[in-house]
Amino acid sequence: MMKKELITPFKTTYNTPPFRIIQNEDFLPTIKEGIEMARKEIDGIVTNLESPSFENTIEALEFSGEQLDRISSIFFNLNSAETNEDIQKIAQEVSPLLSEFSNDITLNEDLFKRVKAVYDSKSELNLTTEQKTLLDKKYKGFSRNGANLHEDKKNKLREIDKKLSQLKLKFGENVLAETNKFEMLITNESDLAGLPEGTKEAAKQLAESKEKEGWLFTLDYPSYIPFVTYADNRELRKKLTLAAGSKAFKNDNLDNQENVLQITKLRHDRANLLGYKTHAHFVLEERMAETPETVLNFSNELLEKAKPAAKREFAALEKFAKELDNIDRLEKWDGSYYSEKLKQKLFSLDDEKLKPYFKLENVINGAFTIANKLFDLNFEEIDTIDKYHDEVLTYKVTNSKGDFVSVFYADFFPRAGKRNGAWMTSYKPQYIKDGENSRPHISIVCNFTKPTKSKPSLLTFNEVTTLFHEFGHALHGILANTTYPSLSGTSVYWDFVELPSQIMENWCFEKEALELFATHYETGEVIPMDLVEKIKESATFHEGMQTLRQLSFGLLDMSWHGQDPTDIKDVKAFEAEVFKNTTLYPETKETCMSTAFSHIFQGGYASGYYSYKWAEVLDADAFEYFKEAGIFNKTVANKFKDNVLSQGGTENPMTLYKRFRGQEPKPEALLRRAGLI
Ligand SMILES: [Zn+2]
């Protein structure tokens, strides 16, 4: 049975989660009851005797399942930020229940009939733009899963989906098995020359844990990356690089070549079945870019502009390697090593020099001050709401009139139960119902340097930009102002969601902004500008080569998914042809990217890899608008708030962007910022 206190709205300040009384054993029954309540609401829509209308079908569907959403967001947020074995066990029970429930909705034919009836009469309905977007989204939730197909084709689709999920799983298992299989044991200490002490220590511990003598290196990033970046021994760097590059490409039982061909073929068939030309067309229908042509034009335009710079950088790197070690031909296993050496020589930027200027409290207050200058928000720390852990900071956010805008949670330090990385999430979405604007509960979770007995938490510059990045996502949530929860805040197309976060990072490089918070934690001195200049320069170091690399991955992704793959027989040959235009290093026949490209063959990035660069173009172009008018210019800030941050996914992102910027985004701002033109 569900505790009375766990029925929404919670009887707490601002209806925040009552963490104090939630026990782990409450989750399963509460989620089960939430599902039952949502099922009844759906049944109510289906059995409604009135003819289908926007209100009694689309809106009713949108607002169904509130109890379930509240409790499951609390549960999954905790599973990321404060988990334990109990919670993980419950997650294994809960996840299939939730996916079964959501499948039951998508496959509910009577429900779809009503949704379709509304959709087919949309031109007569006099809907607002937001309502049209919602109707479209709900309809596509069914149609993109085959609701419009005849029975035999529906079965075919289910068959494809089943096969695809098995193949994707197999693909991932092979990559993981290949990663775990490889070990490089070093017994001669001189082979460790160049490596940082911490890396050596970790390698020694790893060897000990496997009862081996010496230093053990693997293909896990924390082991692999430092080795190829710092190890002086070129032969060993080569060995490790080739091992990493040939994962699942050895013609053995862990080989992924056939899986790549089958996955792309099935995705293509699936798209055809649903009436799309290719898988890329299917995916991009729900993206800001809209079509494969746009993505290809975008990528090729950037490529053309970045390539001369990349070639110059490569030539300079080759010259540097020649001077330093008499290397005649720069190979793949030399890139990270000489890049790092050159970077040290040019910038000698030491994190330890910067950290005293970035005390955590100063940085977070700096972010608040900037949000105040731009968007009139006030952050006040409060202790009247429950926390899921003592370390969590809780804030009440208000506007200039003093109106309540949002609850904001900030959870900064690593703990045993917290996963790696940094992210923004929400405990409650924003929406307007029965004339009342129900405000959101937003949270950011990070893993920053902890304070010690003698020192406060002093952030690395990377941590500073991470904080601003997540704070940008948070502002997208905090300032949300839409009617429907599924279109609110960060619920936008995938290639648009990083604009609010990445744009905030730009303020970390500006003198006017740094003066507000980057002061020495002991002396109060503002960070010297020559240090800031160095940070800026080093941030764009080898940007040409980096850009080329990112674009090559995006183009490979689009090549696999933007055409009929039936005739592709040779994975490596196909890939080599795609890479021809973007490769700087000599070709290695032992390696293949596609067989271990988990982003697109296992995860959800298929036809979406371009989004990384796309988002950079957006944020650079948008920030240039601020720079032209002044980085705290109120007019530009208001336009950004009114047309982007508050609008969520209520309209096509390109329309929203153009309303803010007055024109479509152009790549020039990024190229300028990156020093490429
Ligand atoms: Zn992000």
Side-chain angles (χ1 to χ4, degrees), residues 140 144 164 168 263-264 267-268 270-272 274-293 295 492-495 557-558 560-562 599-600 603-611:
K140 282 189 182 141
R144 287 169 63 87
L164 265 176
K168 280 156 67 176
I263 289 170
T264 45
R267 281 175 174 164
H268 184 73
R270 189 185 195 279
N272 284 171
L274 291 168
Y276 298 87
K277 203 173 154 210
T278 68
H279 185 66
H281 287 86
F282 170 76
V283 171
L284 290 163
E285 181 185 58
E286 297 199 317
R287 296 284 194 273
M288 183 180 182
E290 285 187 334
T291 65
E293 291 71 34
V295 174
V492 299
Y493 285 164
W494 198 353
D495 50 0
D557 171 26
M558 286 310 287
W560 279 119
H561 297 109
H599 267 78
I600 66 165
Y605 267 80
S607 309
Y609 204 89
Y610 75 95
S611 309

Side-chain angles (χ1 to χ4, degrees), residues 422-424 469-470 473 497-499 501-502 505:
W423 62 95
M424 166 269 186
H469 180 104
E470 299 312 330
H473 282 307
V497 75
E498 295 300 331
L499 167 61
S501 52
Q502 286 180 191
E505 294 180 37

Side-chain angles (χ1 to χ4, degrees), residues 163-179 247-248 254-264 267 560 571 592-603:
K163 267 194 221 154
L164 265 176
S165 64
Q166 288 162 347
L167 283 167
K168 280 156 67 176
L169 205 65
K170 185 76 196 137
F171 184 97
E173 284 170 4
N174 286 349
V175 174
L176 187 66
E178 282 276 89
T179 307
K247 278 186 211 168
L254 296 177
D255 192 285
N256 266 338
Q257 290 173 82
E258 193 50 37
N259 292 333
V260 166
L261 295 176
Q262 282 195 39
I263 289 170
T264 45
R267 281 175 174 164
W560 279 119
V571 174
C592 182
M593 163 98 195
S594 300
T595 52
F597 200 172
S598 301
H599 267 78
I600 66 165
F601 291 115
Q602 181 195 0

Side-chain angles (χ1 to χ4, degrees), residues 518-583:
T519 49
H520 196 285
Y521 79 105
E522 284 171 327
T523 66
E525 171 213 16
V526 175
I527 190 168
M529 264 333 275
D530 64 311
L531 271 183
V532 178
E533 280 311 315
K534 264 194 184 177
I535 296 172
K536 271 193 195 181
E537 278 179 45
S538 74
T540 59
F541 177 66
H542 280 177
E543 189 77 18
M545 295 205 288
Q546 295 293 355
T547 303
L548 214 61
R549 191 178 139 86
Q550 284 281 319
L551 288 173
S552 73
F553 296 164
L555 286 165
L556 180 63
D557 171 26
M558 286 310 287
S559 301
W560 279 119
H561 297 109
Q563 57 184 307
D564 182 351
T566 310
D567 293 331
I568 306 171
K569 300 281 181 274
D570 185 334
V571 174
K572 171 76 179 176
F574 178 77
E575 177 179 301
E577 184 61 29
V578 177
F579 279 164
K580 219 168 56 186
N581 207 17
T582 50
T583 321

Side-chain angles (χ1 to χ4, degrees), residues 377-435:
L377 293 174
N378 297 299
F379 289 76
E380 181 200 337
E381 194 173 347
I382 51 168
D383 58 7
T384 51
I385 62 180
D386 285 9
K387 307 167 180 226
Y388 57 88
H389 191 281
D390 284 346
E391 282 178 357
V392 178
L393 304 173
T394 45
Y395 299 86
K396 170 187 171 187
V397 189
T398 53
N399 62 18
S400 56
K401 285 180 254 154
D403 302 331
F404 172 66
V405 174
S406 172
V407 168
F408 179 60
Y409 300 88
D411 178 2
F412 288 124
F413 303 119
R415 284 189 301 270
K418 199 190 269 191
R419 72 171 159 89
N420 291 331
W423 62 95
M424 166 269 186
T425 182
S426 83
Y427 283 91
K428 181 193 163 301
Q430 175 274 335
Y431 54 84
I432 300 171
K433 201 175 163 190
D434 305 325

Side-chain angles (χ1 to χ4, degrees), residues 183-188 203 207 212-217 239:
E183 286 184 348
M184 185 170 83
L185 185 70
I186 291 179
T187 47
N188 191 345
K212 286 178 180 163
E213 285 282 331
W215 298 266
L216 195 62
F217 292 88
K239 187 176 169 190

